[in-house]
Amino acid sequence: METGSVGTLADGAGRAEDEPVWTGLPSGLLRMRRLLLVVWLVPITVGTAFLLGWLAGPPWAAFALLPLALLLWGWPMLGRNWRSWRYAERADDLLISRGVLWREETVVPYGRMQLVEVTSGPVERHFNLASVQLHTAAAATDACIPGLDPAEAERLRDHLTQLGEARSAGL
């Protein structure tokens, strides 16, 4: 899978403009997040209904509908958030875009990267996922790409490290 800027578009003035090729996150991240939502909220819903019904009476058990409503609201919101994440490798920098209500786009120049690491916690490993964490001299431009296939995360780490070394050698 090749990423980066490959196409050019001409605007009304005849200038060519690089258009990044965006890569979305794998669906395994969405499955993991939705499972975690269910794993947390279903027992809370059942426990709330049981405890309030037993201790305070059946009318109070209706409060168990609150975590259930949160589950029903959170399910599609996780999908919207997952679809908003994407990244693009360009000639001189890496773009990371995310956010549903507040869009955030981070540009990380290859020459400014100091450390690129791949992390994977126990839940991520169970779902065969890994995250790529980028560290720069300025903490404001640190960035993370979550939920990647481990092979893609390692490829991205190696590619970014190689580009970062090449760009910083020219400074």
Side-chain angles (χ1 to χ4, degrees), residues 16-81:
E17 173 182 330
D18 284 337
E19 186 67 28
V21 176
W22 293 100
T23 304
L25 299 182
S27 60
L29 178 65
L30 178 61
R31 283 193 307 274
M32 179 188 77
R33 288 180 175 175
R34 283 182 169 167
L35 179 67
L36 289 174
L37 181 75
V38 169
V39 163
W40 281 101
L41 290 179
V42 167
I44 290 173
T45 300
V46 171
T48 302
F50 177 75
L51 285 176
L52 287 177
W54 180 53
L55 296 174
W60 288 94
F63 278 104
L65 295 175
L66 293 174
L68 182 61
L70 185 60
L71 173 70
L72 295 175
W73 174 81
W75 190 272
M77 291 300 109
L78 286 173
R80 287 182 65 192
N81 179 269

Side-chain angles (χ1 to χ4, degrees), residues 39-117:
V39 163
W40 281 101
L41 290 179
V42 167
I44 290 173
T45 300
V46 171
T48 302
F50 177 75
L51 285 176
L52 287 177
W54 180 53
L55 296 174
W60 288 94
F63 278 104
L65 295 175
L66 293 174
L68 182 61
L70 185 60
L71 173 70
L72 295 175
W73 174 81
W75 190 272
M77 291 300 109
L78 286 173
R80 287 182 65 192
N81 179 269
W82 170 75
R83 283 188 299 279
S84 76
W85 277 86
R86 58 192 187 154
Y87 66 95
E89 298 173 67
R90 296 194 306 182
D92 297 321
D93 51 30
L94 177 74
L95 300 175
I96 302 171
S97 179
R98 64 194 168 279
V100 176
L101 293 177
W102 287 272
R103 296 284 307 156
E104 185 175 332
E105 192 165 290
T106 304
V107 179
V108 183
Y110 297 136
R112 301 289 182 201
M113 285 189 281
Q114 293 183 331
L115 174 68
V116 181
E117 61 183 343

Side-chain angles (χ1 to χ4, degrees), residues 111 163-171:
L163 288 170
E165 288 172 354
R167 296 298 190 281
S168 65
L171 291 179

Side-chain angles (χ1 to χ4, degrees), residues 112-114 135-139 141-142:
R112 301 289 182 201
M113 285 189 281
Q114 293 183 331
H135 299 279
T136 63
T141 57
D142 283 2

